[in-house]
Amino acid sequence: MGTPVQCLCRRRIPHCVPVRQAEAEHRGCRVIFSAPTCVLGSSNLWPKVTPGHDPEKHVEIGSLTKVITGTALMRMSAAGMVSPADPVEKWLPAAPGTGITLQHLASHTAGLPRVPPGLRSGFNDPWRDFTDQALRDLLARLDQLITGPPGEHGKYSNLGYAILGAALSSAAGAGFEELAHEHVLAPLGVPPGAMTARPSGETRLLSRSRFRYRSKPWTLDGAVLPAAGMWASCTTVGRLITGVLIDRTLGAPAPTWHAAGPLLWHNGATRRSSIFTGAFADGEWIVMHRLSGAPQRTDRMALAELRAARAV
């Protein structure tokens, strides 16, 4: 069965039509939306919200959570609570002498693997067993997990950001959500609960199967929370992006952000959710979120939207 899609020309394409066929038939259009999609941003081309999405409902933002964690590090550093040069073992019961600092964790240069060893990547809920105790057990043998000298090479690591979040929580004497709100979200004017690890069922927006059953999200509110576990509405994410990247309300952007020329960007994905955010220094910005959409496609679609907006 083909994927249900809707083109930007707003003509509904039947479920039985494969995406490739739809793209061929709509070659003159920029993008085919193949999943419930929300696009917000600075251009008068937006917002765009296709059926099944809601810009005010909580959605999984996956690794975009790392932006909150990295920004919290910079804010806590400015307040004198931590230093980016602090070794991990200053704040956590980690194996000594690894040379890993908080800055290494934030910039993905700690030499750590992408995910914890033993993670069941093919499992329906791979992060369920990555509890706080599981993280503590890994910290005790952190020296055995390093794949390269800290500071020499970049290697994207969810494990690294889980450790960074745990270190910040230890330094703040508070849970991750509490420190995120105090140091990042509240200064941006984001109210309590607008970005959270545990939204209520009534406010959550989940994808549905072809039989209309709601998908079950991964368990991401354990030790992996600072790396990938927050939920927020697209509207709230827009407030985060404009505050951090456009208005620079919290100072210079954290090293978490990726740079592609003048574009600062970050994305995120879970089992059934993908998001792309980005902004230019001249004030152009975008948030695109898709339910059940492949993350690579979400990235490409968001960049196509940005190019179109800047060409207007």
Side-chain angles (χ1 to χ4, degrees), residues 66 105 108-116 154-163 227:
K66 293 180 176 69
L105 296 171
H108 295 288
T109 58
L112 291 173
R114 183 182 184 92
V115 298
K155 184 173 184 178
Y156 190 86
S157 178
N158 291 301
L159 174 59
Y161 260 79
I163 295 172

Side-chain angles (χ1 to χ4, degrees), residues 208-213:
R208 293 181 181 271
S209 71
R210 66 182 61 182
F211 301 109
R212 307 302 296 163
Y213 294 117

